Amino acid sequence: MWNYTFVVPNISLLFVFLLYYFSQPHIPISKNRAFIRLLLIEIIIIFFDVLSSYALDRYDSFPVFFHLACNIAFFIAFFLRSLFFFYFTYVILVPKSQRRLVNLLLANSVFLISVLITLANFFTPTLFVLNQNGYQRYRLYNILYANAFFYLGISLLTLAINRNKLRKK
């Protein structure tokens, strides 16, 4: 049985951030949009995490396709969060005139590869397998960690390269 107690405070805090953000005047610039994307994807991840965990707790009550779809949606959202985290860092630190298409293509290519591997799970086990024992990690499951560390690494690299652009307040 999965523990759901963290969900209510976590979602509540995210909604407080969103409500506060929307109650303040703001200009729809890339920094603001990147922040909103990060908050929304976090809510989506929690939703699919709870939904897929609930369904797995009642494995025989749902069709296999439902389990596949929920888990695949969770993984794609997980990868998207990592991409959005990098993009938020990139947008905050790099002025629009200095942003390079090659940087965004590299970041998006890793995301695309991760999503393709995840979608392949509909046809053959890649990240996880569903069998009579329920959900089991599979061979390429560690791509989650590789993806997250890649985006964390390039975010830290972006921070290191642009550290002189951070202002002291």
Side-chain angles (χ1 to χ4, degrees):
M1 184 82 176
W2 196 68
N3 186 354
Y4 298 96
T5 56
F6 86 98
V7 173
V8 173
N10 202 353
I11 290 280
S12 300
L13 186 60
L14 290 168
F15 278 118
V16 167
F17 284 152
L18 283 172
L19 287 172
Y20 178 76
Y21 174 82
F22 285 118
S23 69
Q24 302 299 312
H26 58 277
I27 301 170
I29 58 175
S30 57
K31 291 176 185 178
N32 292 335
R33 288 189 302 265
F35 176 73
I36 291 299
R37 279 189 216 123
L38 208 48
L39 290 180
L40 291 176
I41 198 64
E42 191 63 37
I43 291 169
I44 291 167
I45 285 173
I46 292 170
F47 171 78
F48 279 112
D49 192 17
V50 169
L51 182 64
S52 60
S53 297
Y54 177 83
L56 287 171
D57 285 344
R58 292 145 187 83
Y59 185 73
D60 294 330
S61 301
F62 296 93
V64 173
F65 183 80
F66 181 79
H67 290 290
L68 279 170
C70 286
N71 281 286
I72 286 172
F74 169 78
F75 285 115
I76 290 172
F78 189 90
F79 295 137
L80 201 53
R81 176 182 56 185
S82 299
L83 175 65
F84 285 173
F85 178 77
F86 160 71
Y87 187 69
F88 180 69
T89 306
Y90 192 68
V91 164
I92 293 292
L93 294 173
V94 180
K96 197 169 192 170
S97 62
Q98 295 177 6
R99 294 181 198 155
R100 300 289 173 248
L101 181 62
V102 69
N103 295 341
L104 296 175
L105 288 175
L106 173 64
N108 286 319
S109 65
V110 171
F111 170 73
L112 182 62
I113 291 167
S114 300
V115 168
L116 290 174
I117 290 170
T118 304
L119 289 173
N121 216 108
F122 274 120
F123 309 105
T124 185
T126 55
L127 299 176
F128 62 92
V129 64
L130 296 168
N131 56 27
Q132 63 275 13
N133 298 326
Y135 175 95
Q136 304 290 319
R137 293 178 180 183
Y138 207 64
R139 292 184 184 133
L140 297 177
Y141 186 84
N142 288 336
I143 196 172
L144 267 81
Y145 305 115
N147 182 285
F149 285 128
F150 170 78
Y151 285 112
L152 180 62
I154 62 173
S155 294
L156 290 173
L157 181 63
T158 302
L159 181 63
I161 291 170
N162 296 286
R163 68 184 173 278
N164 60 346
K165 296 177 184 167
L166 295 174
R167 291 182 279 150
K168 292 182 182 180
K169 291 190 178 195

